Amino acid sequence: MTAQERFFACRAEEVPEGERVLCRLDGKSVGVFNVGGEFFALHNRCPHKGGALCEGPVTGTTVPSDDFDYVYGRAGRLIRCAWHGWEFELETGRSLVDPSIRAKTFGVVVEDGNVYVLI
Amino acid sequence: MIDCDVHNCWSDSRELLPFLEPYFRDFLERGELPGGRGSFPHAHRPWLHPEGFMRTDAFPPGGGPPGSSYEFLREQLLDRYDVEYAILTGDEAIEVSTLANPRLASALARAANDWTIETWLARDERFRASLVVAPQDPAGAAAEIRRLGDHPGFVQVLVSTGSQRPYGDPVYHPIWDAAAEVGLPIAAHLGGQGGVNSNPTGCGPPTFFVETHALLCETGMGHVASLICHGVFERWPSLRFVLIECGVAWLPAILWRLDADYKALRKETPWLKMLPSEYAAAHVRLSTQPLEQPKDPRHLWNLLEAIDGEHTLLFASDYPHWDFDDPTQLHLPQAWEPRIFSENARELYGLPARVDAALAR
């Protein structure tokens, strides 16, 4: 594995809770998300069809239910791809339908109010 | 060979009189009937087969409609093709689904089932029958399944594919609950396209019988999608759904579409734990007839591989109807034949293993 490099993405205050910014880092389009004060970064490229993953809505969804009812949960912890609507966990990049499918995630470091992405 | 769609019928609906409660007898004795005295109360589809939908060589020599004579059915089908079991699906009985009065529909279904026991099941050990219910009367249908579901002659519950709503709808859940309780699969046979039931094609009624017959598989698509999406197979994991006479080649395409859409829209059906195609593979079985016939049969076989046709298809002849499939003329991969011609049905219906007649003697 090649060594990771640290890229400055934005100032933390530029990404309020529940929001995201898109950055161009190391030639890649990267979405930086603030989920309840925690920062996550995903490649803006959906593993399904290469769509604009990070430009879709940050959302919750119905969680698996055994009583055949709608139980809404995980609000603000998921991204729905802008193209075909596949749902992914912001934290892990895992697809909700098939956890073996993962969107590319990057490590994030916040130092002195600067948000860095490890690529 | 196990034939999963054999149509036995009455010569005259008045054969049902001994099995009907008094109020409902009046309908057959004095009531208005669609084809005159002796015909069966139901709403007819508005597409009339220009030649009648029977094989014209299947009229019994002693009179009556094709499928009404046990002896002639035995000669033309059971003995001729060495049928191990014939799954009887009746004829007009499933058309009770077209009637506006659910109580009349259920009364006729009950009578038809009792008539089947006495007139057919008692005649030949090779017969197994379908327990007909009126889907527009879910409580009555469930009661009928509990009344006769344990009878060893009945191997499935039967409704028409014509319906008021797709069968996954919660309104029908009492029926599936009862079927699961008695351990019978649910089968839907092409039919019931008239009366109170929905138009069978989404863009409006077709004109000709030829186009209608080719498109009637559309109702099967709707039921399969509905049963899967409503989570019927999650609620009743032992339940199997058998689609009879709706063709087979469309199923892979519908399942590919359902899988793709589910991946984007899973939030609508969070009770599902597998892909739609995985539910279909585990729970849905299709009868082969009328098997689609491309010029090159390999085109069909490739499609059927996608639904594991070797394990999901059930041979059916549809005797004595005009689109009968002769088992000796069916083009299927040879390696699949033992399962499609016998073993899939044997497993589904819990039929005993074949005893070689010569050895048994």
Side-chain angles (χ1 to χ4, degrees):
Chain A
M1 191 175 155
T2 53
Q4 286 182 330
E5 225 182 300
R6 208 163 98 145
F7 292 86
F8 172 77
C10 56
R11 292 282 300 162
E13 64 265 24
E14 290 173 56
V15 198
E17 276 193 30
E19 300 289 324
R20 107 285 312 260
V21 295
L22 288 174
C23 312
R24 192 95 201 152
L25 304 175
D26 195 26
K28 296 179 176 64
S29 176
V30 175
V32 176
F33 298 81
N34 179 342
V35 179
E38 226 180 323
F39 288 86
F40 300 107
L42 276 81
H43 193 185
N44 185 20
R45 183 182 159 78
C46 183
H48 171 218
K49 293 281 183 190
L53 173 64
C54 296
E55 294 172 54
V58 173
T59 181
T61 192
T62 54
V63 296
S65 97
D66 285 323
D67 57 1
F68 298 87
D69 207 351
Y70 290 122
V71 181
Y72 197 80
R74 314 186 77 177
R77 308 200 70 86
L78 305 172
I79 180 87
R80 249 187 115 72
C81 178
W83 281 16
H84 304 104
W86 284 32
E87 298 165 320
F88 296 89
E89 293 176 341
L90 283 168
E91 189 171 350
T92 64
R94 281 186 206 279
S95 151
L96 263 63
V97 169
D98 181 353
S100 74
I101 298 172
R102 292 180 82 149
K104 174 75 183 155
T105 56
F106 302 107
V108 178
V109 174
V110 184
E111 258 178 37
D112 304 326
N114 292 324
V115 179
Y116 299 95
V117 175
L118 307 176
I119 295 177
Chain B
M1 181 262 284
I2 299 174
D3 187 342
C4 292
D5 188 18
V6 176
H7 293 289
N8 58 312
C9 70
W10 41 75
S11 296
D12 182 307
S13 68
R14 281 168 288 193
E15 291 176 34
L16 297 177
L17 286 173
F19 308 103
L20 272 172
E21 296 113 76
Y23 168 70
F24 298 107
R25 283 182 211 150
D26 293 351
F27 283 86
L28 297 185
E29 290 183 319
R30 296 191 308 281
E32 181 186 359
L33 290 169
R37 201 59 48 209
S39 68
F40 186 67
H42 70 281
H44 206 285
R45 60 192 141 72
W47 305 278
L48 302 173
H49 192 302
E51 293 284 341
F53 62 90
M54 294 295 178
R55 246 173 67 172
T56 52
D57 67 336
F59 286 87
S68 63
S69 156
Y70 160 66
E71 289 77 11
F72 201 50
L73 184 147
R74 186 182 64 196
E75 178 190 324
Q76 280 202 320
L77 185 75
L78 302 185
D79 293 347
R80 180 162 179 185
Y81 294 101
D82 189 22
V83 174
E84 189 185 348
Y85 292 103
I87 311 298
L88 302 175
T89 45
D91 193 70
E92 290 175 308
I94 59 168
E95 300 294 321
V96 297
S97 71
T98 61
L99 293 170
N101 183 339
R103 295 186 189 198
L104 171 61
S106 275
L108 290 166
R110 286 193 295 273
N113 292 329
D114 287 332
W115 170 88
T116 298
I117 293 173
E118 242 179 67
T119 316
W120 290 87
L121 285 177
R123 303 290 297 265
D124 199 303
E125 288 182 350
R126 289 170 286 186
F127 287 143
R128 293 294 184 275
S130 308
L131 186 58
V132 174
V133 298
Q136 72 271 50
D137 179 19
E144 178 64 353
I145 291 168
R146 293 190 171 99
R147 180 176 79 95
L148 284 181
D150 288 334
H151 188 290
F154 289 109
V155 293
Q156 65 188 357
V157 172
L158 182 65
V159 291
S160 65
T161 56
S163 62
Q164 294 180 27
R165 304 182 69 82
Y167 282 140
D169 192 286
V171 75
Y172 299 114
H173 286 188
I175 308 178
W176 313 152
D177 190 45
E181 188 183 304
V182 300
L184 290 181
I186 297 272
H189 186 292
L190 198 68
Q193 272 94 22
V196 294
N197 287 339
S198 299
N199 187 75
T201 54
C203 57
T207 307
F208 307 106
F209 187 88
V210 55
E211 58 175 326
T212 309
H213 189 262
L215 294 176
L216 285 177
C217 54
E218 201 178 313
T219 52
M221 297 177 196
H223 292 310
V224 167
S226 175
L227 288 161
I228 291 172
C229 291
H230 274 282
V232 165
F233 302 122
E234 279 294 335
R235 276 186 199 272
W236 296 285
S238 63
L239 203 63
R240 298 288 180 276
F241 180 66
V242 187
L243 202 49
I244 304 177
E245 209 175 336
C246 288
V248 296
W250 52 266
L251 183 63
I254 293 298
L255 293 175
W256 291 329
R257 295 179 69 88
L258 277 171
D259 281 1
D261 289 337
Y262 171 72
K263 285 172 186 170
L265 298 169
R266 60 148 293 282
K267 67 187 242 179
E268 275 194 295
T269 55
W271 36 82
L272 298 187
K273 296 184 170 68
M274 302 191 286
L275 291 175
S277 62
E278 294 174 313
Y279 285 107
H283 297 274
V284 177
R285 299 291 175 263
L286 304 178
S287 75
T288 51
Q289 181 278 338
L291 193 69
E292 288 86 353
Q293 298 173 86
K295 275 184 190 158
D296 183 342
R298 288 171 307 174
H299 295 161
L300 175 66
W301 300 352
N302 285 341
L303 276 173
L304 297 183
E305 260 180 23
I307 52 166
D308 189 16
E310 183 184 358
H311 295 94
T312 57
L313 301 181
L314 311 166
F315 170 74
S317 75
D318 196 31
Y319 177 88
H321 291 168
W322 69 291
D323 46 350
F324 170 81
D325 271 347
D326 183 319
T328 65
Q329 303 293 315
L330 215 58
H331 297 296
L332 287 167
Q334 214 173 0
W336 298 6
E337 287 185 356
R339 291 208 62 93
I340 294 178
F341 278 110
S342 301
E343 300 315 309
N344 291 339
R346 194 187 310 282
E347 264 174 37
L348 176 71
Y349 297 127
L351 299 169
R354 180 155 207 175
V355 180
D356 190 298
L359 288 175
R361 248 180 240 131

